Amino acid sequence: VCFHRVRSCSSIRFIKSKYVCVFDKSALKFSHQQRLFRTSAVSCGQIVQFKLSDIGEGITEVTVKEWYIKEGDSVSQFDSICEVQSDKASVTITSRYDGIIRKLHYNLDEIAFVGKPLVDIEIDASKGVAPEEDVVETPPMSHEEHTHQEIKGHKTLATPAVRRLAMENNIKLSEVVGTGKDNRILKEDILNYLAKQTGAILPPSPKAEIIPPLPKSETMPVALKDKARKIPVPVSRPIVFSGKDKTEPITGFQKAMVKTMSAALKIPHFGYCDEIDLTQLVQLREELKPVAQIRGVNLSFMPFFIKAASLGLLQYPILNASLDESCQNVTYKASHNIGVAMDTEQGLIVPNVKNVQVCSVFEIASELNRLQSLGSAGQLGTNDLTGGTFTLSNIGTIGGTYTKPVILPPEVAIGALGKIQVLPRFNEKGEVFKAHIMNVSWSADHRIIDGATMARFSNLWKSYLENPASMLLDLK
Amino acid sequence: MVLQSSLKNCLQLSCILRTPKAGFRSTTSGGLIIQSVSHDIYQNLAVEDWIHDHMNLENRQVLFLWRNSPAVVIGRHQNPWQECNLRLLRQKNIKLARRRSGGGTVYHDLGNINLTFFTNRKKYERMENLKLVVRALKALSPQLDVHVTDRYDILLDKQYKISGTAAKLGRTTAYHHCTLLCNADKFVLSSVLKSPYKGLKSNATPSVPASVKNLFEEDPTLTCEMLLDAIAEEYATRHQIDHHVTLINPADEAVLPGINNKTKELQTWEWVYGKTPKFSVSTCFNMVYKESVLDAKVHLDVKHGRVEVCNIDLPDQWLPPALCSELVKSLTGSKFCPSETTTLATALLRVCPQDEELHSRWSLLCENMITLM
């Protein structure tokens, strides 16, 4: 606001016009230039040098370690300005004034001196300069508490948020009637003051607040409608939402996902889904869980799904293959390194269990435990995260039934498992029984995998899981 | 002696803590002694923050007693890579925390006690506090040779450091906290506080290494409980209050409203690692690959814990240059941390030619990069 006023000043002051020619516009922003253009009719900001106050213990110099503000930022009294350090003590320096930061006197890691200027703050001249000693302060409070501010020797009570709102709208607190306790100025008082001035309700900034529209006439009972017609129609106020978009660069785990999934786009996916009856497997796992526990391993369903997949891959090795860049050659991988998608705090990672084809279900379970604990600690190594040939994703632990998983290159197939639900099904005798049903959704690379292959593999995998005893026959 | 926390004590504390404006009409005017029931470093640091931000210390002072399960605590403006062995911390599941006060890096475990002296800005006096601690120690064990140095350390037998100090000054309140080694694991302490990271250039506050000793080694009758008790007794005498220690639960939102947010903030990556002042890493590693040794030169600029600039110099054509530049591009802007680097590197491997030779060279390079973090 002050900047605009300066421009209008400069056109009036012909004597000073040579300065306007010499200095470019950016120079006008800096403190000392504005003094030249001040007219009596206009109150531009006055620059105050905020000096570094006494730290105590006879300390005369400190190192500036962090700035919380930069030149051009507006600050309120008690806002943090910077962090300085002296001899094992870290000190937060807070602002004594409301205003706009015009100059930082030190760079990071420079030595600052007690009693010398730290920052220049441009304050509203009408408010006057606070005395050099610390302003009478009340002890630190939570944001709900109130702080005092001395304006022209007359105490005005208002919270920092209210004072900021007033400052941003160029309102002098002394002109606002406070309706709170002890004549405290509330946010509503500022809004009312503004409404009187501009005839509209302004949104409080920067918090988002939706002001609901007035109720429509349909909601009023019929009897009142007649009365309503006689009452003047209220002005419909616009719904105002002042939330702001936030843009930030993509890094880390998301970047990795962008790379992987963009490459996956090149693969023509087809999907194949089915329903698996896990009733028998559920029972089997219940029996085996304590056995595994004694050996120190947590047994979930995944080791069974993984082992069954490997048995299936032995019959349909093309699902454990890789197509080269030029789509000229297919490489059939000897090892079944089955990846397991994991959701961690930081994002998606897919470690794999190596050589499932020679592992027992217990060994797979044990390895999964190891990968899971490393994964949640963010300590998985490159070896665990590379070399995968086929992937399973157990999204069902979070929820869902059918899904459309994306193949992770350089693999050619992936399976996603939904949640296990208890549903009614018919048995061979035509009776209804309680079945534990899980849905599986496969995606495969249609350049080298055809639907029939996927279907047959899925059927084989399904038969192993629906009748776990049959796995025994083919277990290697 | 420390009393069991009763409901009455907690209510009394919440009255004291939550009515700052009303002044202190409690019976214990002038001083208050509180002790944390938690051994979680983040929760205890959050209590310090809470008291610093919310308590009125105009007319009273507070002594806060706390202990933590194994953790390394760095000062506000320090660089964790410079100060400790992060790899070892991760392996041993030792927590890393950044406190808000200045000073150097310390190792905490249950054999170490922490004391925080809260006062208003004007009454901030570290020397007096440390002399109080020394008096308490001498009262417990009169033959102990302990004294305070002008660097605010407490030395045992004039050479072994048993206590380090740091302080935080705010607008109206200040606190001075210090450690006291009773029976800590010196072996773990010295191994975690030794940084293996080479080629670091930074303006962060460096720690001054010192030989340490446990009080227990001088006087085997001493325990942490005895030390806490003696110090509370001395504090009570000095401030003419009852030797009454109020127990405080750092997870209790009712007594300390807003404390859980403070605890969460102290655990965020942005606070612990992101607040590291800008630094650079310039180093080379020798990679042994198939009976030959190769040199790689790496330079990284790290700001706010994220890689700002990354340069990797490899022997010509050892890896496809396109792949290397992809790695550099991915790393730029990402956190200087092993899990992000591993994830990015392995994602890149998925989209490059599937060649075993290439993969093993790539893995070798990435493993080496990760040793820097």
Side-chain angles (χ1 to χ4, degrees):
Chain A
V1 168
C2 211
F3 183 57
H4 294 306
R5 288 182 181 158
V6 165
R7 275 210 226 115
S8 61
C9 292
S10 64
S11 60
I12 299 166
R13 292 279 201 167
F14 297 112
I15 311 155
K16 307 275 185 205
S17 61
K18 57 181 174 183
Y19 292 103
V20 176
C21 300
V22 171
F23 298 115
D24 64 1
K25 278 208 176 125
S26 58
L28 285 172
K29 285 186 197 153
F30 291 107
S31 48
H32 56 281
Q33 301 301 330
Q34 287 165 327
R35 290 220 176 103
L36 299 171
F37 301 106
R38 204 187 317 155
T39 65
S40 51
V42 165
S43 61
C44 286
Q46 181 192 343
I47 305 304
V48 171
Q49 289 193 323
F50 173 37
K51 302 197 176 101
L52 181 60
S53 53
D54 185 32
I55 307 283
E57 290 185 334
I59 290 164
T60 52
E61 44 186 65
V62 295
T63 311
V64 177
K65 281 298 188 178
E66 188 174 342
W67 284 109
Y68 293 123
I69 41 82
K70 54 187 191 302
E71 289 174 9
D73 283 352
S74 61
V75 286
S76 304
Q77 192 184 28
F78 308 148
D79 280 355
S80 296
I81 292 218
C82 65
E83 198 74 23
V84 300
Q85 183 167 256
S86 149
D87 190 27
K88 304 183 191 180
S90 187
V91 190
T92 307
I93 306 292
T94 55
S95 176
R96 199 177 288 146
Y97 313 106
D98 291 338
I100 301 170
I101 303 288
R102 287 301 176 206
K103 184 173 179 183
L104 305 182
H105 284 262
Y106 300 101
N107 291 319
L108 283 180
D109 290 323
E110 279 189 339
I111 312 270
F113 298 93
V114 171
K116 295 264 160 42
L118 184 66
V119 291
D120 288 351
I121 303 181
E122 180 193 316
I123 62 171
D124 189 350
S126 60
K127 286 201 183 135
V129 183
E132 276 301 305
E133 316 88 54
D134 282 305
V135 171
V136 170
E137 295 162 345
T138 53
M141 308 283 171
S142 61
H143 288 299
E144 285 74 22
E145 294 295 331
H146 302 289
T147 53
H148 299 276
Q149 183 178 11
E150 257 181 82
I151 301 170
K152 291 184 186 169
H154 143 72
K155 269 193 188 146
T156 314
L157 294 174
T159 65
V162 170
R163 284 191 290 105
R164 177 174 277 132
L165 182 64
M167 187 178 91
E168 281 171 1
N169 289 286
N170 266 306
I171 295 169
K172 291 181 197 165
L173 282 176
S174 50
E175 287 175 11
V176 180
V177 176
T179 58
K181 188 182 163 201
D182 296 341
N183 289 325
R184 210 155 282 181
I185 298 175
L186 305 173
K187 191 170 70 184
E188 291 69 46
D189 300 327
I190 304 279
L191 294 176
N192 283 332
Y193 181 84
L194 281 169
K196 277 189 221 141
Q197 299 214 304
T198 62
I201 290 181
L202 293 170
S205 60
K207 290 204 188 78
E209 200 179 277
I210 302 176
I211 302 169
L214 294 166
K216 300 195 176 85
S217 56
E218 298 94 67
T219 60
M220 286 197 280
V222 180
L224 285 170
K225 262 195 179 159
D226 292 300
K227 271 200 182 159
R229 273 190 213 116
K230 296 190 185 128
I231 300 166
V233 178
V235 175
S236 88
R237 288 158 224 252
I239 300 170
V240 184
F241 175 69
S242 54
K244 289 201 176 83
D245 290 349
K246 184 172 135 179
T247 306
E248 49 186 37
I250 293 181
T251 60
F253 279 64
Q254 279 183 322
K255 221 176 192 174
M257 242 183 4
V258 168
K259 285 228 154 6
T260 311
M261 301 307 168
S262 302
L265 266 183
K266 299 192 192 112
I267 305 174
H269 285 54
F270 78 90
Y272 177 89
C273 304
D274 205 351
E275 185 185 278
I276 324 280
D277 181 349
L278 294 180
T279 313
Q280 289 191 29
L281 185 64
V282 167
Q283 199 183 345
L284 178 63
R285 180 183 163 251
E286 276 309 300
E287 290 170 19
L288 293 176
K289 223 171 118 170
V291 179
Q293 206 65 52
I294 294 167
R295 296 196 211 167
V297 164
N298 221 354
L299 183 68
S300 64
F301 287 104
M302 275 311 268
F304 296 100
F305 299 152
I306 293 170
K307 189 59 185 174
S310 171
L311 291 175
L313 290 173
L314 285 172
Q315 305 302 320
Y316 300 97
I318 194 152
L319 289 161
N320 197 53
S322 189
L323 189 59
D324 69 5
E325 290 259 309
S326 53
C327 303
Q328 298 279 333
N329 297 299
V330 174
T331 310
Y332 294 86
K333 302 278 180 173
S335 301
H336 298 171
N337 298 336
I338 299 189
V340 179
M342 265 182 210
D343 173 47
T344 66
E345 259 179 18
Q346 296 161 294
L348 169 72
I349 40 166
V350 191
N352 56 82
V353 179
K354 299 275 193 291
N355 292 309
V356 176
Q357 75 278 9
V358 298
C359 289
S360 66
V361 173
F362 178 77
E363 283 165 347
I364 298 167
S366 167
E367 179 63 4
L368 263 185
N369 277 183
R370 183 188 74 89
L371 292 172
Q372 271 154 352
S373 53
L374 284 179
S376 47
Q379 290 178 30
L380 282 167
T382 43
N383 194 38
D384 290 326
L385 291 169
T386 53
T389 59
F390 183 88
T391 301
L392 285 177
S393 166
N394 195 358
I395 190 76
T397 50
I398 300 174
T401 51
Y402 292 106
T403 162
K404 195 168 177 292
V406 177
I407 300 169
L408 300 170
E411 298 165 21
V412 294
I414 183 171
L417 313 165
K419 62 180 185 280
I420 302 177
Q421 300 170 277
V422 179
L423 297 169
R425 289 288 179 271
F426 289 108
N427 62 14
E428 319 78 46
K429 291 185 219 152
E431 296 160 339
V432 175
F433 73 101
K434 236 168 73 164
H436 290 81
I437 303 290
M438 181 185 77
N439 305 113
V440 62
S441 309
W442 302 104
S443 290
D445 184 338
H446 219 333
R447 294 174 295 181
I448 55 163
I449 317 273
D450 55 37
T453 309
M454 193 71 242
R456 289 189 187 110
F457 167 84
S458 180
N459 288 344
L460 181 57
W461 182 78
K462 171 172 160 154
S463 71
Y464 284 136
L465 294 170
E466 289 190 333
N467 185 8
S470 67
M471 267 175 86
L472 273 172
L473 272 181
D474 296 332
L475 269 176
K476 285 190 196 285
Chain B
M1 210 39 224
V2 171
L3 297 174
Q4 277 307 306
S5 154
S6 67
L7 192 59
K8 181 168 167 259
N9 285 345
C10 281
L11 284 175
Q12 204 177 31
L13 180 65
S14 70
C15 289
I16 293 165
L17 295 173
R18 280 199 288 171
T19 56
K21 271 198 86 152
F24 301 98
R25 294 183 192 85
S26 63
T27 50
T28 54
S29 61
L32 176 65
I33 307 173
I34 56 180
Q35 182 166 339
S36 175
V37 302
S38 164
H39 292 152
D40 180 84
I41 180 67
Y42 305 111
Q43 286 188 333
N44 289 328
L45 287 174
V47 172
E48 284 189 326
D49 280 353
W50 194 95
I51 297 175
H52 182 69
D53 291 345
H54 298 301
M55 265 190 95
N56 181 346
L57 297 168
E58 207 53 42
N59 296 310
R60 78 177 348 182
Q61 308 197 5
V62 178
L63 173 65
F64 175 43
L65 307 168
W66 42 299
R67 285 196 294 157
N68 301 306
S69 42
V72 168
V73 185
I74 58 175
R76 173 73 172 81
H77 308 289
Q78 291 201 296
N79 180 329
W81 288 275
Q82 209 175 33
E83 298 299 329
C84 56
N85 189 337
L86 292 173
R87 251 176 279 145
L88 193 57
L89 260 77
R90 286 176 206 124
Q91 268 171 36
K92 284 183 172 290
N93 232 342
I94 296 175
K95 297 189 188 163
L96 176 68
R98 179 187 298 268
R99 58 179 190 265
R100 294 194 193 268
S101 57
T105 302
V106 284
Y107 170 73
H108 289 186
D109 67 16
L110 289 170
N112 167 72
I113 64 170
N114 302 298
L115 317 162
T116 312
F117 298 86
F118 290 91
T119 59
N120 69 22
R121 257 309 268 268
K122 298 192 182 67
K123 295 214 183 94
Y124 166 67
E125 322 154 306
R126 293 181 283 182
M127 218 28 116
E128 281 308 306
N129 299 335
L130 292 171
K131 286 187 184 152
L132 188 154
V133 175
V134 165
R135 280 201 303 275
L137 290 176
K138 291 226 165 102
L140 258 185
S141 188
Q143 76 284 5
L144 276 179
D145 175 5
V146 283
H147 78 278
V148 186
T149 68
D150 49 17
R151 276 198 79 241
Y152 305 105
D153 292 336
I154 300 180
L155 294 184
L156 177 62
D157 298 337
K158 299 192 176 55
Q159 44 175 311
Y160 299 107
K161 185 169 168 176
I162 57 166
S163 165
T165 267
K168 170 97 189 79
L169 288 88
R171 196 160 42 87
T172 52
T173 55
Y175 62 81
H176 158 221
H177 53 200
C178 58
T179 55
L180 193 58
L181 287 172
C182 178
N183 189 7
D185 188 334
K186 285 201 305 189
F187 179 68
V188 174
L189 186 153
S190 54
S191 55
V192 299
L193 293 185
K194 213 194 320 242
S195 165
Y197 304 106
K198 306 265 179 285
L200 274 168
K201 251 209 289 208
S202 135
N203 281 332
T205 316
S207 292
V208 177
S211 308
V212 296
K213 197 172 185 187
N214 281 309
L215 281 166
F216 175 81
E217 292 174 65
E218 277 292 303
D219 182 349
T221 64
L222 291 174
T223 66
C224 286
E225 285 76 19
M226 286 169 70
L227 290 177
L228 289 168
D229 192 46
I231 290 163
E233 174 67 44
E234 198 60 47
Y235 189 84
T237 309
R238 167 110 160 83
H239 294 274
Q240 291 156 348
I241 55 173
D242 293 333
H243 178 164
H244 170 91
V245 179
T246 309
L247 292 180
I248 189 165
N249 178 2
D252 191 343
E253 258 318 293
V255 176
L256 308 162
I259 186 94
N260 286 305
N261 277 339
K262 289 191 190 288
T263 308
K264 268 198 215 105
E265 209 210 310
L266 287 163
Q267 291 173 296
T268 60
W269 193 92
E270 279 65 32
W271 174 257
V272 178
Y273 295 96
K275 280 293 183 185
T276 308
K278 184 166 173 178
F279 68 100
S280 70
V281 179
S282 268
T283 185
C284 42
F285 26 77
N286 303 324
M287 301 191 288
V288 179
Y289 184 71
K290 287 193 177 159
E291 288 151 20
S292 58
V293 178
L294 304 124
D295 278 326
K297 267 216 295 253
V298 176
H299 175 89
L300 297 145
D301 279 341
V302 182
K303 189 172 167 186
H304 301 315
R306 286 173 185 268
V307 176
E308 223 186 15
V309 168
C310 173
N311 287 320
I312 306 177
D313 265 316
L314 289 167
D316 211 26
Q317 297 302 322
W318 192 70
L319 277 175
L323 192 56
C324 279
S325 67
E326 273 299 311
L327 179 64
V328 165
K329 257 202 330 211
S330 300
L331 288 178
T332 310
S334 295
K335 291 180 187 167
F336 185 60
C337 104
S339 66
E340 278 208 11
T341 307
T342 310
T343 307
L344 285 164
T346 49
L348 279 176
L349 259 191
R350 286 187 183 279
V351 301
C352 73
Q354 298 306 300
D355 170 352
E356 235 188 83
E357 172 87 10
L358 177 64
H359 277 224
S360 43
R361 290 183 185 197
W362 183 253
S363 292
L364 186 58
L365 173 64
C366 293
E367 307 264 313
N368 276 284
M369 289 293 292
I370 284 156
T371 59
L372 300 175
M373 311 180 186

